[in-house]
Amino acid sequence: QMLVAYIFDDLELAIKMVEEYLDLEYPLEGLVVGTEVVFLYGLTSLAQARKTNEVIWKNRGHESMRKVRKLAKDCPKNYHHKLLLLEAEFAFTAGRKNEASEKYEQAVTFSRNNQFIQDQALSYELAAKFHAEECNESKASQYYGKAHDLYVEWGATSKADHLRENFPF
């Protein structure tokens, strides 16, 4: 449900859900669901940092990135692309445009090579948002189109429709 809130651009709900999870007495951090929460918390925190300019969100994103970095070291096939995507978002938040662009490209490549179609779609979508903000409309349009097609391939047709309706490409 956290992922659904995040990919449908309901940042406030995604943050609320992650924070409720983090308040659990026995979080599931060692399980796949727990690692996904850490990843999503990083993405939502960095998006919120760009939206509000509040340092606390940047710090939370950095903390999630630290945890995912350890996961990527232990199991690179499953987590390296997630680390690259967090690093891209962190660079975007920090205004390091060239680094962000490179990290988005790497996240797309690694997620494709390791057959994480949903994360490849997300990487393209976040890269599209980055390029749109940088006024590179042609690259943003191209990446939104690729994200759309991957969401359809993954079976997330509602998300693909959401992209088409909210981000014309």
Side-chain angles (χ1 to χ4, degrees):
Q1 291 174 337
M2 288 176 237
L3 176 62
V4 172
Y6 178 76
I7 67 172
F8 280 94
D9 301 312
D10 192 343
L11 195 54
E12 287 75 24
L13 178 59
I15 288 171
K16 180 181 177 208
M17 293 174 83
V18 170
E19 288 179 339
E20 285 175 1
Y21 166 82
L22 293 173
D23 285 341
L24 292 176
E25 188 173 339
Y26 301 104
L28 307 170
E29 204 165 290
L31 302 175
V32 172
V33 68
T35 59
E36 283 298 306
V37 170
V38 169
F39 174 61
L40 286 170
Y41 194 48
L43 292 176
T44 56
S45 295
L46 293 168
Q48 189 72 352
R50 281 194 304 279
K51 185 177 174 182
T52 66
N53 237 3
E54 294 176 4
V55 174
I56 189 169
W57 294 110
K58 188 174 179 181
N59 291 342
R60 288 176 180 174
H62 189 268
E63 177 62 19
S64 291
M65 202 166 53
R66 185 189 64 73
K67 290 178 180 180
V68 173
R69 185 172 285 115
K70 182 182 179 339
L71 293 166
K73 182 180 177 204
D74 295 341
C75 192
K77 282 192 173 194
N78 289 342
Y79 295 103
H80 188 67
H81 65 282
K82 293 177 185 296
L83 175 61
L84 290 166
L85 189 53
L86 284 171
E87 289 175 343
E89 288 285 282
F90 193 82
F92 180 17
T93 301
R96 299 190 309 263
K97 298 172 188 178
N98 289 337
E99 179 185 347
S101 183
E102 289 173 17
K103 294 288 185 177
Y104 286 120
E105 294 297 329
Q106 291 172 359
V108 165
T109 300
F110 275 84
S111 58
R112 178 182 55 242
N113 290 348
N114 292 307
Q115 301 177 340
F116 285 95
I117 192 169
Q118 71 279 15
D119 292 334
Q120 185 183 359
L122 181 60
S123 296
Y124 270 125
E125 180 181 1
L126 295 178
K129 287 180 182 180
F130 165 75
H131 288 295
E133 191 159 310
E134 295 302 310
C135 299
N136 186 341
E137 296 300 321
S138 66
K139 198 159 212 172
S141 178
Q142 176 188 359
Y143 283 7
Y144 277 128
K146 288 181 178 188
H148 172 273
D149 293 347
L150 287 164
Y151 282 126
V152 168
E153 187 178 333
W154 185 40
T157 54
S158 293
K159 173 57 184 174
D161 292 344
H162 174 77
L163 268 184
R164 192 174 51 256
E165 293 165 7
N166 293 285
F167 305 100
F169 45 91

